[in-house]
């Protein structure tokens, strides 16, 4: 194995509207035969990823909550010592978890410590609860339950004015936190991003396999940029709802970012096949059989 694929989920491997992954299903089978890992890197939670990776038949590690933690199946990494010499690996049943920031409780306390400065201007995810989150997001109760189950950060639903939100964000920064503003929610967490998680996991596989690995990364949004800048072969997946995010090439990138013509998983399928051909790995079924 000399190639690893790191991928965003929503709008990238999954269709923006239907969440379908059908256009990539055949290619995912070929990639498994070639033992090329496809690593989901997402803003989703551990609880959201577990059913999703079953659905795409993935046994690979995955990265949750925007790079806050890497989850490694024990089937692939039976010993914690295969991951780290230190003791910072958490045992989570069938998985090991390597996190890159303090846990959710830490961020909840931090937010709580400044709550009086912003009276009645926000509710946290935990204050909203499953029903509240379902109401403001439009998720079903079942989906909201998985989304609320966060481990490494706390989203804040802001109901105050924009100027006070600025103030809130600078107070969090003063206290050592980081804020990421989405549509309705501002996420409070540590200094994490998808790029750091990619580099850590790539290094782990290089150590495990004793050889250098080429990384392909695919994403459709601004929160994927750090991941694309950390990858050797960056791919911007076209979105049906927004312009491609701005991208500046880095020394990690061996080629400029490819921007797909097709959106979502259709674009994914074309881009990965093209890059594997360029790198010298073939994916047609006949060639897969001949190679192994
Ligand atoms: Mg996305």
């Amino acid at each position: 194995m000399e190639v690893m694929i790191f991928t965003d989920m929503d709008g990238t491997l999954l269709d923006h509207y239907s969440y379908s992954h059908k256009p990539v299903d055949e290619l995912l089978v070929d990639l498994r035969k070639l033992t090329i890992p496809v690593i989901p890197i997402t803003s989703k939670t551990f609880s959201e990823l577990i059913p999703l990776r079953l659905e795409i038949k993935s046994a690979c590690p995955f990265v949750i909550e925007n790079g806050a933690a890497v989850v490694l199946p024990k089937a692939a990494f039976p010993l914690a010592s295969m991951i780290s010499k230190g003791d910072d690996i958490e045992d989570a049943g069938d998985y090991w978890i390597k996190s890159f920031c303090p846990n959710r409780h830490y961020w909840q306390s931090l937010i709580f410590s400044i709550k009086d400065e912003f009276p009645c201007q926000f509710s946290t995810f935990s204050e909203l609860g499953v029903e509240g989150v379902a109401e403001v997001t439009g998720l079903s109760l079942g989906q909201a339950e998985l989304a609320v189950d966060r481990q490494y950060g706390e989203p804040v639903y802001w109901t105050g004015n924009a100027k006070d939100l600025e103030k809130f964000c600078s107070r969090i920064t003063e206290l050592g936190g980081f804020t990421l503003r989405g549509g309705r929610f501002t996420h409070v967490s540590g200094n994490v991003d998808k790029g750091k998680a990619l580099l850590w996991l790539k290094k782990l596989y290089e150590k495990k396999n004793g050889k250098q690995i080429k990384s392909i990364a695919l994403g459709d949004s601004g929160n994927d940029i750090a991941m694309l800048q950390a990858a050797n072969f960056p791919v911007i997946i076209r979105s049906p709802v927004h312009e491609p995010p701005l991208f500046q090439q880095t020394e990690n990138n061996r080629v400029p970012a490819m921007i797909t013509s097709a959106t979502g998983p259709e674009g994914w399928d074309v881009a990965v096949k093209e890059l594997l051909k360029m790198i010298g790995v073939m994916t047609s079924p006949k060639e897969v059989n001949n190679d192994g």
Side-chain angles (χ1 to χ4, degrees):
M1 190 267 295
E2 290 173 346
V3 180
M4 286 178 86
I5 298 174
F6 296 87
T7 182
D8 172 51
M9 298 307 278
D10 290 359
T12 298
L13 191 79
L14 307 176
D15 182 83
H16 174 81
Y17 296 109
S18 67
Y19 295 98
S20 166
H21 46 81
K22 205 159 178 260
V24 295
D25 283 352
E26 220 171 281
L27 179 54
L28 289 180
V29 172
D30 288 349
L31 293 171
R32 273 197 296 277
K33 287 184 192 160
L34 288 162
T35 65
I36 294 176
V38 177
I39 311 282
I41 300 200
T42 170
S43 58
K44 289 179 186 298
T45 64
F46 178 85
S47 301
E48 288 174 298
L49 248 291
I50 294 298
L52 194 51
R53 67 197 285 277
L54 276 179
E55 208 187 296
I56 59 168
K57 301 186 178 72
S58 168
C60 293
F62 52 99
V63 178
I64 54 172
E65 298 191 32
N66 269 318
V70 177
V71 184
L72 301 130
K74 284 184 183 170
F77 296 87
L79 303 171
S81 60
M82 294 170 80
I83 302 160
S84 164
K85 292 273 176 279
D87 54 359
D88 57 345
I89 299 293
E90 190 191 324
D91 188 337
D94 292 335
Y95 306 93
W96 303 110
I97 299 185
K98 160 71 189 172
S99 60
F100 298 94
C101 76
N103 67 19
R104 182 182 186 183
H105 183 72
Y106 176 89
W107 303 112
Q108 286 173 328
S109 308
L110 193 92
I111 294 166
F112 189 73
S113 74
I114 58 168
K115 191 156 173 73
D116 288 349
E117 298 172 34
F118 305 92
C120 306
Q121 286 182 295
F122 69 86
S123 309
T124 63
F125 244 38
S126 51
E127 287 169 334
L128 286 170
V130 174
E131 279 176 25
V133 168
E135 201 181 305
V136 298
T137 56
L139 293 174
S140 71
L141 280 179
Q143 290 168 326
E145 201 176 333
L146 302 181
V148 164
D149 190 17
R150 308 196 78 81
Q151 294 169 284
Y152 301 101
E154 182 72 357
V156 165
Y157 181 61
W158 194 262
T159 48
N161 64 47
K163 213 176 120 213
D164 286 334
L165 176 57
E166 290 286 337
K167 242 190 260 173
F168 173 83
C169 291
S170 19
R171 286 291 285 126
I172 294 289
T173 311
E174 277 169 30
L175 295 168
F178 286 76
T179 53
L180 185 68
R181 278 186 245 182
R184 277 164 294 206
F185 293 97
T186 296
H187 286 254
V188 177
S189 187
N191 185 15
V192 299
D193 66 52
K194 292 181 173 186
K196 286 178 196 152
L198 180 152
L199 292 173
W200 185 86
L201 199 47
K202 180 174 178 255
K203 210 167 153 191
L204 180 70
Y205 270 79
E206 284 177 338
K207 213 172 92 185
K208 189 175 177 230
N209 298 347
K211 56 181 161 189
Q212 289 221 318
I213 290 170
K214 299 178 183 86
S215 54
I216 296 174
L218 308 98
D220 71 319
S221 300
N223 71 344
D224 297 312
I225 290 297
M227 169 178 75
L228 300 180
Q229 288 181 325
N232 302 133
F233 299 90
V235 179
I236 297 173
I237 297 289
R238 197 170 289 279
S239 165
V241 291
H242 59 72
E243 290 299 311
L246 288 177
F247 179 83
Q248 246 183 339
Q249 204 173 328
T250 70
E251 56 187 16
N252 295 318
N253 306 141
R254 299 201 187 174
V255 292
M258 173 193 291
I259 305 182
T260 62
S261 320
T263 60
E266 277 95 0
W268 203 100
D269 187 66
V270 173
V272 168
K273 282 176 180 163
E274 203 170 298
L275 281 175
L276 290 181
K277 206 174 270 178
M278 187 168 133
I279 295 168
V281 183
M282 299 301 169
T283 59
S284 78
K286 193 166 161 262
E287 284 156 326
V288 170
N289 288 337
N290 287 350
D291 286 349

